């Protein structure tokens, strides 16, 4: 599903509050001096390679959306400026957090001192810090997460032109885009089939993606715990170890060694892409061949699609790789 939503104006590329927006008198920004979205692209604050942030459009209608099973989508962002309505970015595969995820991510922010830093930056712009996470406006400080590499930036001067539907959008709502919606091209637009070119691709130097954090995301830890409970039942006599030589979970029985690599992405294709290389290295980049049979298991939150199953079957049958996939849901998804 594709959506478009408005974000508050900001002069720091949404890394910290700048009090630069001009808002109507009845908005959160006008009453508190900042918006929850002003840390949207604070890339040094990543957890396990994920950017946890807030979108007011997601805040509205969030519970009903989650109840309908809408856990992720593509979201186009625009903002209001004195020069007009400017397109900011398109984020692919953005995940809408449920209550458990939002609380766990915020607790992580507090442990690392990031939440206190947010409060200090609110003070810097003479904002009202009691509004942060206020249930009347936004009960969750963090309600989305995405990987920075999934951001497609619009050129800085991409404004809505005449007849653009975005000119009629006034509120901070998540508006569904129909298939016929015509949007400006991003700097790094992705297409289902990518054609080659004669020159190296242009790297945008205006925005920084940031480096991935070293810590695991809350979702990753929850999945590891859920997997552990399942494995204790399936392999009661086995040795189950976490993070041994960087492997998420290693199960050792009398006859085999099973390596599990956990990825919390909702897209199973991405889970396979991220996990397979690590599993192959864990299993076969050794000084001596393993004595026991080795099985490699990629662990994700969603079921495999027919295309995923076909791909996995090819790897196992044609290339003789002992690769498997296992679904482990978050407790809120069961």
């Amino acid at each position: 599903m594709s959506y478009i939503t408005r974000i508050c104006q900001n002069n720091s590329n949404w890394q910290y509050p700048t009090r630069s927006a001009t808002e109507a008198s009845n908005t959160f920004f006008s009453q508190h001096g900042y918006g929850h979205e002003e840390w949207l692209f604070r890339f040094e604050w990543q957890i396990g390679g994920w950017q946890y942030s807030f979108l007011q459009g997601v805040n509205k209608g969030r519970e009903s959306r989650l109840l309908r099973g809408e856990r992720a989508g593509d979201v186009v962002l625009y903002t209001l400026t004195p020069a007009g309505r400017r397109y900011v970015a398109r984020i692919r595969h953005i995940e809408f957090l449920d209550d458990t995820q939002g609380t766990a991510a915020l607790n992580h922010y507090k442990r690392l001192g990031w939440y206190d830093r947010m409060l200090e930056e609110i003070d810097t712009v003479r904002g009202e810090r009691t509004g942060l996470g206020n249930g009347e406006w936004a009960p969750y400080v963090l309600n989305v997460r995405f990987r920075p590499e999934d951001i497609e930036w619009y050129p800085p001067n991409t404004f809505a032109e005449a007849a653009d539907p975005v000119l009629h959008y006034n509120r901070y709502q998540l508006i569904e885009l129909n298939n016929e919606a015509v949007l400006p091209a991003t700097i790094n637009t992705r297409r289902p089939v990518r054609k080659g070119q004669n020159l190296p691709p242009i790297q945008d130097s205006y925005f920084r993606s940031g480096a991935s954090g070293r810590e695991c995301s809350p979702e990753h830890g929850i999945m590891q715990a859920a997997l552990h409970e399942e494995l204790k039942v399936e392999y009661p006599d086995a040795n189950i170890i976490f993070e041994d030589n960087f492997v998420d979970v290693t199960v050792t029985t009398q006859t085999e060694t099973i390596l599990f690599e956990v990825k919390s992405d909702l897209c199973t294709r991405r889970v396979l892409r991220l996990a397979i290389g690590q599993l192959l290295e864990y299993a076969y980049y050794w000084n001596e061949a393993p004595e026991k049979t080795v099985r490699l298991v990629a662990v994700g939150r969603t079921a495999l699609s027919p295309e995923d199953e076909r791909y996995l079957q090819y790897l196992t049958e044609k290339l003789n790789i002992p690769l498997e996939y296992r679904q482990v849901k978050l407790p809120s998804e069961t």
Side-chain angles (χ1 to χ4, degrees), residues 85-103:
R85 302 187 180 213
R86 181 171 77 85
Y87 284 93
V88 177
R90 181 169 193 151
I91 307 178
R92 305 281 185 178
H93 311 297
I94 192 168
E95 182 177 346
F96 310 134
L97 305 183
D98 59 28
D99 297 1
T100 301
Q101 291 175 276
T103 300

Side-chain angles (χ1 to χ4, degrees), residues 103-227:
T103 300
L106 182 59
N107 288 339
H108 204 109
Y109 264 51
K110 291 180 177 179
R111 287 196 299 271
L112 295 177
W114 297 345
Y115 182 76
D116 288 339
R117 182 65 181 275
M118 294 172 75
L119 294 175
E120 292 170 0
E121 291 174 348
I122 291 173
D123 294 339
T124 299
V125 296
R126 301 182 303 279
E128 178 52 63
R129 61 162 61 187
T130 57
L132 189 65
N134 186 310
E136 181 181 353
W137 296 89
Y140 296 96
V141 176
L142 305 167
N143 64 8
V144 297
R145 72 170 189 159
F146 53 90
R147 293 189 181 274
E149 58 264 30
D150 284 332
I151 303 173
E152 299 176 9
W153 299 103
Y154 285 101
N157 294 317
T158 305
F159 291 94
E161 299 179 352
D164 191 323
V166 77
L167 296 174
H168 304 291
Y169 303 152
N170 294 313
R171 299 183 179 276
Y172 291 88
Q173 295 178 333
L174 200 62
I175 300 171
E176 185 177 340
L177 288 172
N178 58 47
N179 295 330
E180 292 75 30
V182 178
L183 299 174
T186 58
I187 293 173
N188 50 336
T189 298
R190 302 175 183 180
R191 304 187 185 281
V193 177
R194 178 178 294 177
K195 294 184 178 180
Q197 58 188 49
N198 296 325
L199 296 174
I202 296 174
Q203 299 299 319
D204 176 29
S205 59
Y206 186 79
F207 300 108
R208 295 172 57 238
S209 294
S212 298
R214 293 184 178 180
E215 302 198 33
C216 292
S217 68
E219 290 84 356
H220 187 278
I222 295 171
M223 290 178 66
Q224 276 187 310
L227 176 62

